[in-house]
Amino acid sequence: MLTGAGISAESGLATFRASDGLWEDHRIEDVATPEAFARDPGLVHDFYNARRARLGEVEPDAAHRALARLDVEWPGELLVVTQNVDDLHERAGSRRLLHMHGELRGGWCTACNNRFRWDGPMDSFARCPKCALPGLIRPDIVWFGEMPYEMEAIDAALMACDLFVAIGTSGAVYPAAGFVQTAAYRGAATLEINLEPSQGRIFFDEHRFGLAGVEVPKWVDELLTDAA
Ligand code: OAD
């Protein structure tokens, strides 16, 4: 299963590509590339500090909770791969979860390669909790031009899955946008749950259009009833 910003929209977190989304107010090349961080780390820190602070004001929604219920009750294998850097899946209770684009509540030391939890604001003088060198830590976020995390585990899951579901993602950003084709090529059934048809809509066998908070609990109910 692949989730995107749409699954956290009803919690109150802005998506990226909506008309009031994050990429309307900020240019990707100003805040979400390694070059942007090298040029103006303060601007990049401000962007992620604001988003990290916002996490403290929101709660998981019905869609996160339904996927957490699936995690507990689904008897077979399950993997939720999220492009989201919020922590709403785990706060809802999902455990079989990978953050392919990193985590807002994480830092990464570019000097000693340590990854660590980071809850408050980060700035250009912050020290790595392990090597204590100042000024060399950054948000643990995968920026444009960088390799997403866990690609080996994700590829293995795509090769082996019987069902691939994408929830709340526009299908605009690779490699995640290509997962549906890999899964379909290997014989998996494919389902898209989204407010509107995504850019990858032609690759899905089935679509359910509507709010994730309505459609995901309904789908999980059906799946668990069929499995019982
Ligand atoms: P987008 O903002 O591109 O797409 C969000 C999708 O969710 C859209 O197709 C919306 O129609 C849909 N949506 C919005 N509200 C919804 C709701 N309540 N229920 C269901 N669907 C809803 O976000 P992503 O696809 O997650 O990467 O974006 C992918 C990546 O692009 C992000 O991880 C981020 C961004 O640039 C990086 O920063 C590396």
Side-chain angles (χ1 to χ4, degrees):
M1 183 154 359
L2 173 71
T3 67
I7 201 168
S8 299
E10 288 153 78
S11 289
L13 296 181
T15 63
F16 293 94
R17 293 177 179 79
S19 56
D20 58 350
L22 290 166
W23 295 156
E24 275 299 303
D25 294 337
H26 303 84
R27 295 186 334 146
I28 287 175
E29 42 296 23
D30 288 341
V31 295
T33 66
E35 294 79 12
F37 189 61
R39 195 169 51 237
D40 191 347
L43 183 71
V44 175
H45 280 310
D46 286 349
F47 177 71
Y48 290 102
N49 285 343
R51 295 182 59 205
R52 193 178 303 111
R54 178 82 182 119
L55 284 188
E57 300 164 356
V58 299
E59 296 293 333
D61 60 31
H64 299 111
R65 290 197 299 273
L67 293 189
R69 176 184 169 214
L70 191 63
D71 198 331
V72 172
E73 296 184 26
W74 181 249
E77 290 194 43
L78 172 82
L79 180 64
V80 176
V81 175
T82 188
Q83 299 167 88
N84 297 344
V85 294
D86 66 54
D87 58 355
L88 294 174
H89 279 304
E90 49 270 56
R91 275 160 62 191
S94 280
R95 293 292 170 261
R96 292 180 272 181
L97 173 72
L98 295 178
H99 277 277
M100 66 177 290
H101 288 167
E103 297 177 60
L104 270 174
R105 284 184 159 152
W108 170 29
C109 177
T110 55
C112 75
N113 205 25
N114 178 34
R115 294 199 146 78
F116 43 87
R117 189 175 163 106
W118 193 275
D119 282 316
M122 192 182 279
D123 62 32
S124 303
F125 307 100
R127 285 175 189 275
C128 168
K130 191 167 160 203
C131 73
L133 285 176
L136 291 166
I137 66 171
R138 52 170 271 185
D140 193 11
I141 302 281
V142 175
W143 286 324
F144 284 87
E146 297 181 326
M147 182 63 88
Y149 291 141
E150 306 282 5
M151 284 308 297
E152 244 174 73
I154 294 170
D155 273 338
L158 290 171
M159 295 293 179
C161 71
D162 301 317
L163 173 64
F164 173 82
V165 188
I167 303 170
T169 177
S170 61
V173 175
Y174 282 82
F179 290 172
V180 58
Q181 290 168 76
T182 307
Y185 180 72
R186 300 291 298 196
T190 54
L191 163 67
E192 165 168 78
I193 304 178
N194 210 41
L195 205 51
E196 61 199 356
S198 72
Q199 291 185 28
R201 60 191 170 274
I202 57 167
F203 301 115
F204 290 90
D205 306 322
E206 189 192 342
H207 303 87
R208 296 181 177 207
F209 297 125
L211 292 171
V214 175
E215 297 301 325
V216 177
K218 229 188 321 185
W219 168 72
V220 167
D221 245 351
E222 289 171 25
L223 201 66
L224 290 172
T225 306
D226 287 351

